[in-house]
Amino acid sequence: MIKVGSMVQSKYRLSSGKPGYLGLVMELRSTTSLVTDDVAAVAHVYYPKTRTFGWVVASDMKVVA
């Protein structure tokens, strides 16, 4: 289960075949799609390697630590 402070990694691989970068979850939100009315959890993730932030769908991530 993803929580604030969890170390996460994408379930998908990069185009080079390497696993995705590790990131730290800073914030969690639930959103509703305007098209399909589905509720999804999104996470605000900080990637230390690239020093960037990004919003990701929580179901596309796996908890590493």
Side-chain angles (χ1 to χ4, degrees):
M1 179 171 187
I2 294 179
K3 300 185 286 187
V4 172
S6 297
M7 184 72 68
V8 295
Q9 186 175 29
S10 175
K11 291 181 180 177
Y12 304 107
R13 294 192 172 266
L14 301 173
S15 60
S16 61
K18 294 180 183 178
Y21 294 133
L22 295 176
L24 182 64
V25 176
M26 306 302 283
E27 183 180 355
L28 287 171
R29 289 189 184 174
S30 62
T31 61
T32 305
S33 171
L34 296 174
V35 177
T36 61
D37 291 333
D38 292 335
V39 176
V42 292
H44 196 213
V45 178
Y46 172 67
Y47 298 98
K49 185 171 184 175
T50 58
R51 296 182 181 176
T52 59
F53 287 89
W55 288 98
V56 298
V57 177
S59 61
D60 291 343
M61 306 300 282
K62 62 181 177 182
V63 177
V64 178

